[in-house]
Amino acid sequence: MLTVQTNLPKFRTTQFRDVRRTHSEFIKLADHLVSSNPEALVPAVPPALTSAGAGTDEDEARVKASLQRWLNYVCANEVLMRDDEMVLFVESDFGYSPMLKRKQPATGVRRRVIKQFAPPPDDTPELQDARPIVKLFYLGTMDAGHKVDKLVKARRGKWYSLCIFDTCSSITGVGLAESDFGVKIGAMSVQEPHSGLANAYRKLGKTIQTTGDYHAAQATAEATTIGDPLQYHSQDAFIVKETLTNRHILLRELLQAQQLTRSKLNAADRLKASSSVRREKVDEAISALDEARSNELYLVGKTQRVTSNLLQEQRRWFARTAADLRLSIREYVIREIEAERRTLATLESIRPDIRAIDSSGGLSRLGRENVGRRASLATSQGKNGDSCKLIREAPYLDSFASSGYPPRHLSWGVDLSRSRDRVQPFPHMSEHLLTSRLL
């Protein structure tokens, strides 16, 4: 559900309440904006679900925050906000479907063939160098996302049987393996005659089971904090790469139009120098030359407009992507530290039971009778953080925290306590405004 406010003259009114749109309709709008606005970099639509789990509070908060950031960017873009489909998307009462369905300049086999050629001559080095960088980023984030997915599956895991010929083996992840190991450790307490060791087996088994559950939850956190952002930025970089490819196709069309104009001009010159000139041939040559020149002028203007806008767009895209990735990495590191601290605190909780096995502190069964018994049983993890002085006073943590983060509120009144982006106004923005807010 959306609430939209605007002062653009194309809209019926200045405010729209309870605008209901599905996720598939957002995708349709984004596809149209990409095809109809070659001079703008349209961000990828965030997925409708996250790895936090469908129906959870974290999943709902992340989906709302990501969609709000997408709306903020689209509504703040001077080119995209003026697209006619934005009016239809907001004002349509019975769902949304694009009125004009435009396709990419080249699709299918033709597009793949064009990509095999060397890029056309480009008088803008910044855009010429941007596409290879974006392509490497796209491939790198896609590969990193797949590796994170493998890590999550290995950490979380599922029981299944793998049979090769006559040999069968069970394969599982770390979390389930630890839980199974904890159950087996706890079962050893039943047949252990020593009371202290039996109690230690029972407590240790429960603790290992809990640790296995923590590792499964840690896998979900890893998929949510770093896996989902990598997959999203890979999709976003793909759109940017294809938009820059469309500019190369436009440059090729301009070169072909210039060659066609020159050929038509040469034909007119030959006709002019001819001894016998027919009137219909002269009219045909003049008409063809005028058409070629008009097409060339149109492509020159379009190329200049696309180049100038994309130059600013790619700079903002690099800055926005770098900021988003820094925040995702920061959140991932914090969640990893919290998971490891929680695991350490759980393991430290059974230290008294291990030392209470016998009078020597539980070490006599390891052949270390001469080792003195430690008196301190305090845990290293408390509400104020890790008890280690070096960790609490690490200077790099303070410098990282003061580098423009933690997250700030969105600039257009999103009803969320935390968000990862603040969309800055465009430097060339006019007095017209279009804002949307998720409810």
Side-chain angles (χ1 to χ4, degrees):
M1 186 181 297
L2 302 173
T3 296
V4 183
Q5 294 180 348
T6 181
N7 59 0
L8 293 174
K10 292 183 178 181
F11 290 85
R12 291 197 307 258
T13 182
T14 59
Q15 188 172 8
F16 299 86
R17 294 182 179 274
D18 299 340
V19 180
R20 298 177 181 271
R21 294 292 177 264
T22 62
H23 186 264
S24 61
E25 291 171 342
F26 277 96
I27 295 178
K28 292 178 182 178
L29 175 63
D31 292 340
H32 168 80
L33 294 177
V34 170
S35 302
S36 301
N37 301 278
E39 67 272 27
L41 297 179
V42 183
V45 179
L49 295 174
T50 66
S51 298
T56 60
D57 294 338
E58 183 180 4
D59 174 76
E60 182 180 356
R62 286 182 178 275
V63 171
K64 287 182 65 176
S66 57
L67 277 177
Q68 182 66 70
R69 285 196 306 273
W70 188 85
L71 284 170
N72 287 343
Y73 182 84
V74 172
C75 294
N77 191 296
E78 191 71 15
V79 176
L80 301 179
M81 74 163 67
R82 299 178 183 276
D83 193 286
D84 293 337
E85 287 294 325
M86 292 293 295
V87 179
L88 184 61
F89 181 79
V90 173
E91 296 184 352
S92 179
D93 296 328
F94 304 101
Y96 165 75
S97 183
M99 185 72 68
L100 299 175
K101 296 183 180 180
R102 298 184 180 179
K103 296 182 179 180
Q104 297 285 350
T107 58
V109 178
R110 180 170 177 263
R111 191 177 187 88
R112 289 196 293 269
V113 171
I114 291 176
K115 289 182 179 180
Q116 301 301 320
F117 299 137
D122 197 342
D123 58 353
T124 310
E126 189 172 350
L127 287 179
Q128 184 178 8
D129 298 336
R131 189 184 181 280
I133 297 174
V134 173
K135 182 178 180 180
L136 289 176
F137 179 76
Y138 156 67
L139 296 175
T141 50
M142 181 174 61
D143 182 62
H146 291 164
K147 290 181 179 179
V148 171
D149 186 55
K150 291 181 180 179
L151 173 64
V152 169
K153 290 180 179 178
R155 191 184 293 276
R156 184 188 297 157
K158 293 182 179 179
W159 283 105
Y160 63 95
S161 180
L162 177 65
C163 295
I164 301 177
F165 298 109
D166 295 334
T167 304
C168 295
S169 59
S170 297
I171 301 178
T172 184
V174 175
L176 290 179
E178 284 184 323
S179 298
D180 180 64
F181 180 61
V183 172
K184 293 178 179 179
I185 289 291
M188 294 174 60
S189 63
V190 178
Q191 55 187 358
E192 176 58 44
H194 192 281
S195 60
L197 187 56
N199 179 66
Y201 280 150
R202 185 168 57 255
K203 295 293 184 63
L204 180 61
K206 293 181 179 179
T207 301
I208 293 178
Q209 283 184 268
T210 304
T211 304
D213 296 338
Y214 286 163
H215 282 158
Q218 185 178 359
T220 302
E222 289 171 346
T224 304
T225 56
I226 195 67
D228 289 350
L230 286 174
Q231 293 177 2
Y232 172 76
H233 286 298
S234 176
Q235 298 173 1
D236 191 40
F238 178 78
I239 295 177
V240 176
K241 179 179 74 71
E242 294 303 310
T243 303
L244 295 175
T245 301
N246 291 339
R247 178 178 173 271
H248 286 176
I249 296 175
L250 182 61
L251 292 176
R252 294 181 189 278
E253 292 178 354
L254 176 59
L255 293 177
Q256 293 174 359
Q258 291 173 346
Q259 292 176 359
L260 180 62
T261 301
R262 286 193 296 267
S263 66
K264 296 299 181 182
L265 183 60
N266 292 334
D269 292 339
R270 288 193 303 269
L271 187 62
K272 183 178 180 181
S274 177
S275 58
S276 60
V277 179
R278 298 174 60 181
R279 181 169 183 174
E280 57 270 14
K281 287 188 176 181
V282 173
D283 294 341
E284 182 181 353
I286 293 176
S287 176
L289 181 60
D290 291 340
E291 183 180 356
R293 282 178 173 174
S294 63
N295 185 43
E296 180 184 353
L297 289 176
Y298 167 75
L299 290 176
V300 167
K302 184 177 180 180
T303 302
Q304 292 176 350
R305 185 182 76 251
V306 169
T307 299
S308 61
N309 285 339
L310 281 183
L311 195 60
Q312 302 298 326
E313 291 273 322
Q314 64 94 16
R315 293 172 184 172
R316 284 193 290 267
W317 181 82
F318 276 110
R320 184 179 74 248
T321 303
D324 285 347
L325 278 178
R326 281 197 298 265
L327 285 173
S328 298
I329 294 173
R330 180 178 185 270
E331 185 182 6
Y332 165 72
V333 171
I334 291 175
R335 295 284 288 270
E336 287 290 293
I337 293 174
E338 292 175 350
E340 296 300 333
R341 287 186 56 204
R342 183 170 60 246
T343 302
L344 180 58
T346 303
L347 293 175
E348 287 180 340
S349 65
I350 63 168
R351 186 161 51 188
D353 299 293
I354 298 299
R355 293 185 180 176
I357 293 177
D358 54 25
S359 59
S360 63
L363 298 179
S364 61
R365 290 184 174 270
L366 301 179
R368 302 169 64 187
E369 293 84 353
N370 297 327
V371 178
R373 185 173 182 179
R374 231 172 122 193
S376 176
L377 295 177
T379 179
S380 64
Q381 308 300 316
K383 62 180 181 179
N384 296 326
D386 200 295
S387 63
C388 179
K389 183 178 180 181
L390 294 177
I391 295 179
R392 287 204 312 269
E393 298 180 358
Y396 60 87
L397 293 179
D398 297 333
S399 62
F400 188 78
S402 62
S403 62
Y405 307 98
R408 303 176 180 179
H409 291 280
L410 289 176
S411 57
W412 279 288
V414 185
D415 189 15
L416 294 173
S417 60
R418 300 186 69 181
S419 178
R420 297 187 303 170
D421 193 8
R422 184 183 180 94
V423 179
Q424 299 294 338
F426 285 81
H428 59 281
M429 201 168 177
S430 66
E431 69 276 5
H432 294 104
L433 188 66
L434 174 65
T435 63
S436 299
R437 184 165 64 91
L438 281 170
L439 298 178

